[in-house]
């Protein structure tokens, strides 16, 4: 279709840049807000659009990804959109097969068991060939947003992707993946390096396609302690920020703000504050004042309402939001949940959350 051939140039003028200003540490009239997994199963229209399609087939359809990304923005005055995709498209680009099993979630048909299995992975990945469908989705969505709000691109971080590739799916302990870190440190670093290189090209490609900010998801950071995180996660998280930025400069692409979300990694906040990201995402298990004290004033914080707070009555959601804004302060801050929305949540409660952030932050800023 002709709409897919629109170039990543001549994008509509951005009307609401509050999210980008907050990410860069500039002053904002209200605190911007978006939700992880805002394009999700809690929306009946999402379930309808997804109903007939295989999950990863949906990910490979730029038109469907665009539609799913826009759905929450038709309902709520969110300050950012995040492209609909999945972190596991990166292992797929490396040649691994992942299927979405109903009731179980993403499942690798042949997870990595032995070090020799690394030989099955593609050594050189042409991200445009393997993940061009994500780039097309970003370009199409950026045009379709008509400048309403900025579009966020994302990727999983190396350790989180490695853990999925070895576990073959979700896990409560990550024992198989962690055993590699202890038993095969060299091979683990080889795999993490391979992943980091693909992620770097993937993120740069997303900016070239039109992404205006990038989030790196280290969703399984909580399974690592300080030492393992220091050895096997942090160096790659740092390198991704640095290399993406230097490649964006080289290619004369916009230097977009980058967000690191390392779930349950409060033990690493000081290190993450110096890892080269403009924004640090926080889960709900840390007090805002403690996070601010560890991270300092120069990095913008994002988070961290407990997603389950959205099960509360609407008035209660408003109170919790007010408290959160008073704790974080309304500046150098992007409101969000401490993790993604759950499928059984009431869309009206999501709306109450978004509106409360805008109303209370405006009020606090005025007074």
């Amino acid at each position: 279709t002709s709409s897919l051939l629109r170039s990543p140039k001549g994008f509509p003028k951005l009307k609401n840049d509050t999210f980008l200003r907050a990410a860069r540490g500039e002053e904002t009239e209200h605190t911007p807000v978006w939700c992880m997994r805002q394009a999700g199963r809690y929306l009946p229209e999402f379930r309808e659009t997804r109903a007939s399609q295989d999950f990863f087939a949906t990910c490979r359809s730029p038109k469907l990804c665009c539609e799913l990304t826009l759905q929450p923005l038709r309902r709520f005055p969110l300050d950012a959109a995040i492209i609909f995709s999945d972190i596991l498209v990166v292992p797929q680009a490396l040649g691994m097969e992942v299927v979405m099993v109903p009731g179980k979630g993403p499942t690798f048909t042949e997870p990595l068991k032995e070090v020799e299995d690394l030989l099955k992975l593609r050594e050189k990945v042409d991200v445009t060939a393997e993940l061009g469908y994500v780039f097309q989705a970003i370009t199409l969505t950026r045009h379709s947003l008509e400048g309403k709000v900025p579009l966020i691109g994302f990727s999983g971080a190396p350790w989180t992707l490695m853990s999925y590739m070895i576990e073959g799916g979700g896990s409560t302990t990550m024992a198989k993946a962690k055993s590699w870190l202890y038993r095969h440190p060299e091979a683990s670093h080889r795999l993490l390096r391979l992943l980091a290189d693909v992620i770097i090209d993937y993120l740069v490609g997303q900016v070239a396609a039109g992404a205006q900010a990038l989030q790196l998801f280290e969703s399984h950071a909580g399974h690592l302690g300080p030492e393992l995180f220091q050895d096997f996660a942090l160096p790659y998280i740092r390198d991704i920020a640095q290399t993406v930025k230097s490649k964006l400069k080289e290619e004369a692409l916009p230097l977009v703000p980058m967000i690191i979300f390392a779930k349950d990694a409060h033990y690493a906040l000081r290190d993450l504050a110096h890892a080269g990201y403009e924004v640090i995402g926080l889960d709900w298990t840390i007090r805002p004042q403690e996070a601010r004290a560890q991270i300092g004033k120069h990095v913008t914080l994002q988070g961290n309402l407990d997603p389950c707070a959205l099960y509360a009555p609407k008035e209660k959601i408003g109170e919790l939001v007010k408290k959160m804004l008073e704790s974080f302060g309304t500046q150098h801050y992007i409101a969000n949940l401490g993790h993604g929305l759950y499928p059984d949540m009431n869309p009206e409660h999501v709306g109450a959350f978004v509106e409360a952030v805008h109303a209370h932050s405006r009020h606090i800023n005025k007074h």
Side-chain angles (χ1 to χ4, degrees), residues 141-161:
T141 306
R142 176 84 187 268
H143 282 293
S144 306
L145 275 166
E146 295 175 337
K148 194 173 176 178
V149 294
L151 179 60
I152 304 168
F154 71 90
S155 174
W159 154 250
T160 295
L161 295 179

Side-chain angles (χ1 to χ4, degrees), residues 144-195:
S144 306
L145 275 166
E146 295 175 337
K148 194 173 176 178
V149 294
L151 179 60
I152 304 168
F154 71 90
S155 174
W159 154 250
T160 295
L161 295 179
M162 168 181 174
S163 62
Y164 271 115
M165 290 159 75
I166 293 171
E167 297 290 341
S171 156
T172 50
T173 60
M174 298 293 155
K176 289 179 191 157
K178 284 175 72 179
S179 82
W180 273 53
L181 305 181
Y182 287 108
R183 285 163 45 226
H184 313 302
E186 291 83 8
S188 296
H189 280 298
R190 268 209 320 276
L191 175 54
L192 291 162
R193 181 71 261 161
L194 176 63
L195 284 161

Side-chain angles (χ1 to χ4, degrees), residues 188-218:
S188 296
H189 280 298
R190 268 209 320 276
L191 175 54
L192 291 162
R193 181 71 261 161
L194 176 63
L195 284 161
D197 289 341
V198 176
I199 290 162
I200 287 162
D201 288 347
Y202 182 42
L203 290 174
V204 171
Q206 291 185 43
V207 177
Q212 289 154 290
L214 298 169
Q215 178 155 315
L216 190 67
F217 284 86
E218 189 69 281

